[in-house]
Each structure stands twice: as structure tokens, then as C-alpha cells.
């Protein structure tokens, strides 16, 4: 073969690899409203930046005549690219080849790109669209999955790991995304479950559709498995690009800082008005977040799950910040099991990747009741406490209104190593709310008063007395639990200054193998 023929052969082979399972399969993929594995990568990375590896890998199976059915690349595309000029490692499962099912060779390609990501300290992005273990290969695919799981575990807290679910992801295959930091799912075209509807029907008799069992909406709102719910794949791929603008490449780097054109001393007069007259009235804490952060840009995580707590990323004078805020407009911002788990995981992510945390507090307490107790609110609430207490990144807390009981301690209080703790003049920092306190302290006296009006007046007087004494930030400030009481409209400025001051903060935890967070 001449040199020119050899080059032509290479070009032909590349062309063949790029066709994946062939034109028909690509059309079938498109007809389902899905992009191909390669089209997804093109949208994800900076134009022309993708370097593909292992394009010529094929499977090694000889079962069921498989030796006659080989596709270059074997159903997964791996390589590196850049996003806003920063390197990322990628694998993208190709449903057009054996339904994106995982063979030994396929798993080897994923492991190889994950190993590279760890070596160079770059985020790994996995695009999932697969029928699971390649049935013709038997047990080797189980080992292949486990090889990937082990790498996910080792990479956790070292490099950001992001999973996009753009098609099926079922059985044991769900556990790789589950081990990563963020999962996103497309509406109507993706699903995740440990066992599908047919097995569910056989084992439990329950009749349930794929969508109701493991569709994107279910995981984004009920289970909390998915952090982001997407209308389509393009939205998801652009969202990954956006997400990475808040994250460092790895745990040894600082998150990226950009020049901000939003003045740091921008006053927000609306914040002086935002807290309603009655402390039982709700308001939307996202309005507070938008007013404080650069250009009102907030990337919310878990938007549809545990809406009583808000988590997400923003920039403050160009610095990446993780924000946790109780949401008074949903369940009064109470802490329950889901909210505790959601925020704990977010706080730990931020801490692992050197992202400072801003906490906005307006919490009436933990949600009472048997369903919460039976569900283990004690352990789940402790997760959030643990996460805050263990975190060594800069932590700035602003108490907007309520901060009661155990929930006060949990929400990045001074004693959990909160670095700068501010309160608005509307803050109510106390052991419990006025109504509960009066019931406990004066229960006997109240029931001894026979006249209804007189009883109501007695209760109201006592509640007012309690509120006067405790429903303010000054007792906490007098003890140094609050560093300063600030005017709401100055919050942006005060918080930015606090984070700038904390930039050189060093805090350490005692040496240990690892902590034993209450799981
Ligand atoms: C081999 C597979 C495959 C698999 C799909 N294909 N899944 N080949 N192993 N697991 C092939 C199909 O044979 C078909 O090939 C092509 O991919 C497209 O599949 P279709 O069925 O035509 O597509 P669709 O109708 O969209 O259905 C997609 C699907 C279905 C729901 C994923 O294919 C399916 O149920 N597959 C089996 C899923 C499964 O049970 N996997 C094993 C789970 S156990 P042709 O040549 O006809 O085009 C598991 C254990 C992991 O994963 C454990 C980890 C610890």
C-alpha cells in the first residue's frame, strides 16, 4: 500500500468511526428527539477543541456471532476538549452502537479518560445514553461498571464530575452518575431506575410507566436524584458550560474569578423593605439573592426539590460563591429531611472545591411530626450541621429574620465556625418562636383563665413581652454570636468585603482517615 493509500485508509476509518452505528441508527436517534453522541460533544466544547482518543477500539466478544459485528469506537466516544478555554475530559455514550451498551472495551475507554482527568486535574463530564450492560458479554460488563464506580469514588472531591442523562440509564448503570457531583436529565427522553416497570410489575404488582417511575420530573422533584431538569439536550450542554464557570478544575485550585462590572457598593433599597411587617408572612428569598449577587445571576441547583431551602452558585465581585438560603415562601422555610440532605450535599461540594459559602437564614425550626421523626430527621438534620461544622472554606452568614432553636445552630452559626455572622435588624434569634415559648412557660396560667377574651389578652401580652426581649438580633450580638447588625440595603457591600477579607483564611480539621458523617 502506498503512503497516500495509507492516509486514505486512515481517513476512511475515521469516517467509518464517525458514523457510529450507521445512518439508519442516527436517523432513529434523531427521530426520538435525541442528538448523537458526537453532536452533543460539539455543542458542549469550544469549537474545534475536541481531541478524540480510542476511536479504533472495538469489542473483543465472540459470543452470539459478535465477532462479525464490530463498530469502531465500540459505542462510546472519549476525549478532551476545552470549555471557555479550560480543559475537560469527556465520555459520550453512543446509542447508535448496540444501544450504547457497555462492553469490556467500552468500560476500558471510560476508565482511561477518567484516569487522564485525574492525572491532569480536569473535570470529567459523562453523557449517558445506554441500554446498560452489553448482554452478549455477560459478567465482564459487571466488572467494567465496577471499574468505573471505583474511579468515580476516587475522583470524588478531587475533580468535579458531571453526569448528563440523555437517554436510558438503568440497573446498576445508575450508580456511576449517582456517585458524581451533579446529574442533569432531559424531560421525556431520559430515565433512571434500578429496575424498570416490567420488573416492578412482576415483583410488586405495581403498574407504573417509565416516566412515572424514573423520568426527569420524578428525579428532579421527588427523589432529588437529578439536580437539573432540562427541556432539551442543548439546554443541558450549555448549562454544563455555565456550571463550570463557577467551579475550579480540581480541589487544589481556587474557583475562577472574573472581572465584574457590577459595583460592589451597589445599594439595594428594596432590601430595607423586603421583610413583611408580620413575621408570619412569607417573602421570596430569591429576591434577596438576586439583589445581592453580581448582575442578579444565580444558578440554582435542585430548583424543584426541597424548595424550602435554596442552593446555588453566584458571583460576588467576580468571585464564585455557593449560596444556601432558607425559603420562607415554601413551607415557611422549615428544615425537613429533604432540605437538610439537599443543603448538606451542596455545602460539602463547595467545601471540597474551595468555594466560599454565603448562608441566608430565615428558619422557623425543624419540621415537627411523626413522618419526619420516623424518616430520621435527627440523622438528616445532623448531616447539614456536620457539613457546615466540617467545612473550612470562608463562611459568611446573614440572618434575615427567624433563626430559631436547633435550626439556628445548624445554619452556619458562629459556633459551627461561621467566620462572619451578620444579622439584619429584623432578625429574631431565639430558642423558639413566641407562641411556642408562651405555651411552654405559661401553659398552666393560660388554662386557669376561664374568660376567653381575658385568656387571649394574657397570651398576647406574654407573646409581645417575649418578642420584645428575644425577637431581635441584639441579645445574640451582645454575646458576640452576631458580629454586626447591618442595614439590609448594604448587604452586598458588607458580604463582599467579608469574603475579600476571608480570602486568606486557613482552617484545618484534625488528621483522620475520614469523618463519619451521619449517613
Ligand atoms: C446489547 C443492546 C442492549 C444491551 C440495547 N441493545 N440494549 N444490546 N446489550 N444491554 C441494542 C438492541 O438490541 C438494539 O440493537 C439497539 O441496541 C437499540 O435498542 P432498541 O431496543 O431497538 O431501542 P429502544 O426501543 O429505544 O429501547 C432501548 C432500551 C432497550 C429500553 C434500552 O434496548 C432495552 O430494554 N435494552 C435492554 C436493557 C437491559 O436490560 N440492559 C441490561 C440491564 S442490567 P439492534 O441491532 O436491533 O438495533 C445492567 C446491569 C449493570 O445494566 C450492572 C452494573 C453493576
Amino acid at each position: 500500500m502506498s503512503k497516500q493509500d495509507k492516509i486514505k485508509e486512515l481517513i476512511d476509518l475515521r469516517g467509518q468511526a464517525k458514523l457510529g452505528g450507521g445512518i439508519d441508527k442516527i436517523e432513529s436517534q434523531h427521530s426520538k428527539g435525541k442528538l448523537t453522541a458526537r453532536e452533543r460533544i460539539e455543542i458542549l466544547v469550544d469549537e474545534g477543541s475536541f481531541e478524540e482518543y480510542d476511536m479504533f477500539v472495538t469489542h473483543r466478544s465472540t459470543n452470539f456471532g459478535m465477532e462479525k459485528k464490530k463498530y469502531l469506537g465500540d459505542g462510546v466516544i472519549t476525549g478532551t476538549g476545552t470549555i471557555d478555554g479550560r480543559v475537560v475530559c469527556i465520555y459520550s455514550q453512543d446509542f447508535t452502537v448496540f444501544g450504547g451498551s457497555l462492553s469490556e472495551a467500552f468500560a476500558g475507554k471510560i476508565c482511561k479518560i477518567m484516569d487522564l482527568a485525574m492525572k491532569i486535574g480536569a473535570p470529567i463530564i459523562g453523557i449517558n445514553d445506554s441500554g446498560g450492560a452489553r448482554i452478549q458479554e455477560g459478567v465482564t460488563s459487571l466488572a467494567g461498571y465496577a471499574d468505573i464506580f471505583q474511579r468515580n469514588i476516587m475522583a470524588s472531591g478531587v475533580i468535579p464530575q458531571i453526569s448528563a442523562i440523555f437517554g436510558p440509564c438503568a440497573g446498576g448503570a445508575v450508580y456511576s452518575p449517582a456517585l458524581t457531583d451533579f446529574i442533569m436529565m432531559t424531560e421525556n427522553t431520559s430515565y433512571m431506575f434500578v429496575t424498570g416497570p416490567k420488573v416492578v410489575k412482576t415483583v410488586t404488582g405495581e403498574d407504573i410507566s417509565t416516566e412515572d417511575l424514573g423520568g426527569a420530573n420524578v428525579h428532579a422533584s421527588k427523589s432529588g436524584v437529578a439536580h437539573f431538569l432540562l427541556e432539551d439536550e442543548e439546554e443541558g450542554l450549555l448549562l454544563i458550560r455555565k456550571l463550570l464557570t463557577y467551579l475550579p478544575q480540581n480541589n487544589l485550585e481556587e474557583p475562577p474569578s472574573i472581572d465584574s462590572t457590577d459595583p460592589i457598593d451597589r445599594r439595594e433599597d428594596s432590601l430595607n423593605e423586603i421583610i413583611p411587617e408580620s413575621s408570619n408572612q412569607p417573602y421570596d428569598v430569591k429576591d434577596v439573592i438576586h439583589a445581592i449577587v453580581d448582575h442578579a445571576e444565580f444558578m440554582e441547583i435542585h430548583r424543584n426539590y426541597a424548595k424550602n431551602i435554596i442552593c446555588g452558585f453566584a458571583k460576588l465581585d467576580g468571585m464564585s460563591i455557593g449560596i444556601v438560603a432558607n425559603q420562607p415562601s415554601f413551607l415557611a422555610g422549615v428544615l425537613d429531611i429533604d432540605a437538610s440532605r439537599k443543603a448538606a450535599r451542596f455545602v460539602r461540594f463547595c467545601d471540597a472545591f474551595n468555594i466560599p459559602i454565603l448562608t441566608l437564614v430565615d428558619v422557623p425550626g425543624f419540621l415537627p411530626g411523626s413522618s419526619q421523626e420516623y424518616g430520621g430527621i435527627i440523622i438528616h438534620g445532623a448531616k447539614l450541621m456536620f457539613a457546615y461544622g466540617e467545612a473550612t472554606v470562608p463562611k459568611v452568614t446573614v440572618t434575615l429574620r427567624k433563626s430559631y432553636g436547633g435550626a439556628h445552630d445548624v445554619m452556619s452559626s458562629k459556633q459551627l465556625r461561621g467566620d462572619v455572622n451578620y444579622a439584619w435588624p429584623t432578625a429574631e434569634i431565639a430558642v423558639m418562636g413566641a407562641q411556642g415559648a408562651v405555651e411552654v412557660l405559661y401553659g398552666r396560667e393560660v388554662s386557669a383563665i376561664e374568660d376567653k377574651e381575658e385568656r387571649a389578652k394574657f397570651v398576647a401580652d406574654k407573646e409581645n413581652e417575649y418578642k420584645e426581649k428575644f425577637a431581635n438580633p441584639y441579645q445574640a450580638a451582645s454575646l458576640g454570636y452576631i458580629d454586626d447588625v447591618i442595614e439590609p440595603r448594604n448587604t452586598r457591600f458588607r458580604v463582599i468585603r467579608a469574603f475579600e477579607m476571608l480570602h486568606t483564611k486557613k482552617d484545618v480539621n484534625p488528621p483522620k482517615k475520614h469523618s463519619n458523617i451521619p449517613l
Side-chain angles (χ1 to χ4, degrees), residues 25 32 95 98-99 101 130-136 142 145 149 168 170-173 191:
K25 298 276 189 224
K32 292 177 191 155
F95 193 82
F98 303 120
S101 58
S130 164
R134 189 162 309 159
I135 294 164
Q136 296 91 331
L142 295 188
Y145 274 116
F149 300 156
Y191 53 86

